[in-house]
Amino acid sequence: MPRRSVLFSPGDRPKLLRKAAGAGADVLVFDLEDAVAPERKAEAREAVNEVLATPEFDPDAEVTVRVNPGEMGLEDVSVICADHPPDALVVPKATSAEDCDRVADAASDVGADCPVIAIIENAVGVLAAPEVADAEATTAVIFGAEDFSADVGATRTTDGTEVLYARERVVVAAAAAGVDAIDTLHTDFQDTDGLREDAKFGLQLGYDGKLAIHPAQVSVINEAFSPDAEDIEWAKKVLQARDEASAEGRGVFSVEGEMIDSPLIKQAENILDRAGGSAQ
């Protein structure tokens, strides 16, 4: 399943949790951490459990839960995963492989098989990004620019140069580990044009998808991370020409006057993967 759009919803608001299923996001994140006030943590756990246990709640999306950091997060896991576990657990402020594997092990202790999506959102986490991405439990990583900026004392700007190094390091670590990379959020949910440009830039960097904090952002993100018909047609032609050249024993071939080499073949494969197509 693609992870183009990753939509967060506060865990203590069951109406919003259910409503999120209709937003069209590829991944839903029921948030027990930042979106929930400290005095409402227990209530949020109960709300998330109730929604996950509802037979009618069966969205066409990957359903995940962001737990709290540290020991509180392990308590979250023991409650959330006991009866109706989500598809994955989201680990905030990940700084090591142990952070990820410990959460997955806590789920296993109550009989649940839950992979981990790790959020890299501070200086230590960015430096440890290769280790976090390569953890046994990790299936994807998320870059959190806002928390990272606060951690290092950077001033957020429109062009985002202050987080570019970290943004690139996270996506490179994900690629090296063979897991998905989810780009940081665009905080102004009313700024559709800005979101579209930011999503396109994330795609150019190599990200597979992007965070959303409002349902209105989902369709824009999905469109940005979905190849258009022209790209798909080009990719199909490249892979067909590759197969024909291979059958004829030729190592070099062209498509529409363009010489094709290994990087372009890989690009064509990536396009069809994002499109949900095949290499046939």
Side-chain angles (χ1 to χ4, degrees), residues 49 52 63 65 79-89 107 110-114:
N49 259 346
L52 291 176
V63 180
V65 176
V79 173
I80 295 298
C81 294
D83 296 316
H84 301 279
D87 297 318
L89 294 164
V110 293
D113 181 14
C114 288

Side-chain angles (χ1 to χ4, degrees), residues 2 7 24 60 62 71 73 81-82 84 97 99 101 136 160 178 185 196 249:
L7 176 62
D60 186 20
E62 182 179 11
E71 292 302 316
C81 294
H84 301 279
D99 288 344
D101 293 337
E136 182 177 355
L185 55 83
R196 184 176 293 109

